[in-house]
């Protein structure tokens, strides 16, 4: 997808997140959603990782602990370009070159709300950045997409004050990419996408993009130390995670996955 499409989705998601910020716990519109805080929406992961190594389970527990105190909002939950439509006059249709709107941002229509949930706002952006583009594009665009997202989030808040600083936003985004790995691994290993219109090829392609994102986050001593400090865990846990992801990526490439 193009940067313009990704930016349009990020800005639109931020607008929705601002509307539902601090409302999900008491608003009748979200009362039916079981998730209430933190990573409740991904609680199923715990049941699928019981046989994994202790270090692997400890990272997941630390991620749950970190996000307990992070404000939540309504999230789309499957925020990738395949679930978006970009309207073009006179009708609504998918387009590689969306019609322009205010401030140069093309309009976007979210579809497939099956995975909508309550969770940290940056979940949708982490999902979008990781699954909707290749590793090279993600590395080049992620900072700009985060900046556009935070600016739009602030614009939609009372007093137009952004509730997340750039440093906080980056840390949450990166940690949510780790969360996405745990979710993706559970979904892939247990074929949870079966019956939802996604193919094995789709699942493998997404898993590879997620694995590469984790490798980027854990591929150096400095990067591992940064994650270790954020989650208060030993640095070698993240070296282990990097090795696991690299082995998985190599195995997928060996069988011809793209």
């Amino acid at each position: 997808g193009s940067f313009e499409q990704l930016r349009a989705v990020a800005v639109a998601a931020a607008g929705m997140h601002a509307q539902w910020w601090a409302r999900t716990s008491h608003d009748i519109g979200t009362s039916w959603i079981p998730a209430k805080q933190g990573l409740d929406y991904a609680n199923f992961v715990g049941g699928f990782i019981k046989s994994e190594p202790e270090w692997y389970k400890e990272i997941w527990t630390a991620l749950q602990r970190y996000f307990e105190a992070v404000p939540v909002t309504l999230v789309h939950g499957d925020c990738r370009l395949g679930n978006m439509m970009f309207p073009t006059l006179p009708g609504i249709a998918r387009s590689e070159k969306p019609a322009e709107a205010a401030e140069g941002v093309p309009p976007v229509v979210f579809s497939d709300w099956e995975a909508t949930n309550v969770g940290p706002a940056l979940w949708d952006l982490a999902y979008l950045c990781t699954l909707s583009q290749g590793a090279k594009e993600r590395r080049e665009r992620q900072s700009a997409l985060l900046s556009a997202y935070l600016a739009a989030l602030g614009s939609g808040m009372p007093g137009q004050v952004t509730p997340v600083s750039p440093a906080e936003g980056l840390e949450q985004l990166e940690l949510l990419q780790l969360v996405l790995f745990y979710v993706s691994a559970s979904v892939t290993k247990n074929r949870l996408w079966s019956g939802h219109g996604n193919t094995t090829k789709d699942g493998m392609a997404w898993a590879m993009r997620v694995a590469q994102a984790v490798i980027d986050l854990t591929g150096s001593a400095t990067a591992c130390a940064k994650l270790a400090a954020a989650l208060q865990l030993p640095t070698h846990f993240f070296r282990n995670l990097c090795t696991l992801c690299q082995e998985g990526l190599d195995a997928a490439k060996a069988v011809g996955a793209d």
Side-chain angles (χ1 to χ4, degrees):
S2 69
F3 174 76
E4 289 74 19
Q5 287 177 315
L6 291 163
R7 184 174 181 271
V9 175
V11 168
M16 177 183 73
H17 297 160
Q19 278 192 311
W20 286 93
W21 198 270
R23 282 178 52 193
T24 56
S25 64
H26 59 270
D27 195 291
I28 192 171
T30 49
S31 61
W32 60 275
I33 299 176
K36 301 302 178 185
Q37 65 175 10
L39 301 184
D40 283 359
Y41 66 94
N43 274 348
F44 67 92
V45 169
F48 288 120
I49 65 173
K50 290 180 179 178
S51 61
E52 298 291 348
E54 285 303 314
W55 64 264
Y56 189 91
K57 291 185 284 189
E58 286 192 42
I59 292 177
W60 177 246
T61 299
L63 286 166
Q64 290 180 300
R65 185 169 56 245
Y66 177 96
F67 283 101
E68 282 177 355
V70 172
V72 293
T73 185
L74 183 69
V75 296
H76 179 273
D78 195 4
C79 190
R80 53 187 175 84
L81 290 185
N83 290 330
M84 306 296 153
M85 294 183 291
F86 299 91
T88 56
L89 296 176
I92 295 179
R94 291 284 298 274
S95 171
E96 290 301 312
K97 191 174 182 181
E100 293 298 312
E103 299 181 2
V105 178
V108 58
V109 176
F110 286 55
S111 67
D112 193 355
W113 289 86
E114 177 180 6
T116 190
N117 225 313
V118 169
L122 271 294
W123 173 247
D124 278 341
L125 187 65
Y127 203 98
L128 177 71
C129 287
T130 308
L131 295 185
S132 293
Q133 55 191 338
K136 180 177 181 293
E137 290 78 15
R138 171 177 47 76
R139 296 179 194 119
E140 293 172 346
R141 298 168 172 174
Q142 184 162 285
S143 179
L145 290 171
L146 176 60
S147 294
Y149 171 85
L150 292 176
L153 182 65
S155 294
M157 297 293 291
Q160 296 191 331
V161 176
T162 305
V164 182
S165 72
E168 291 170 336
L170 178 60
E171 180 170 272
Q172 290 179 28
L173 176 61
E174 292 179 344
L175 292 179
L176 285 167
Q177 286 174 321
L178 295 187
V179 172
L180 181 55
F181 167 75
Y182 276 82
V183 170
S184 173
S186 296
V187 168
T188 301
K189 288 180 180 180
N190 296 279
R191 301 182 65 82
L192 299 184
W193 70 76
S194 180
H196 292 272
N198 301 314
T199 66
T200 298
K201 184 177 180 180
D202 290 334
M204 288 302 299
W206 297 333
M208 289 175 69
R209 287 184 173 183
V210 174
Q212 185 60 65
V214 174
I215 291 168
D216 288 350
L217 289 172
T218 57
S220 71
T222 300
C224 287
K226 178 182 175 183
L227 293 172
L231 295 179
Q232 300 181 11
L233 290 173
T235 302
H236 73 269
F237 283 11
F238 301 97
R239 293 198 296 269
N240 292 347
L241 188 60
C242 184
T243 299
L244 180 68
C245 288
Q246 189 63 64
E247 290 174 348
L249 198 58
D250 290 344
K253 290 178 179 177
V255 297
D258 297 323

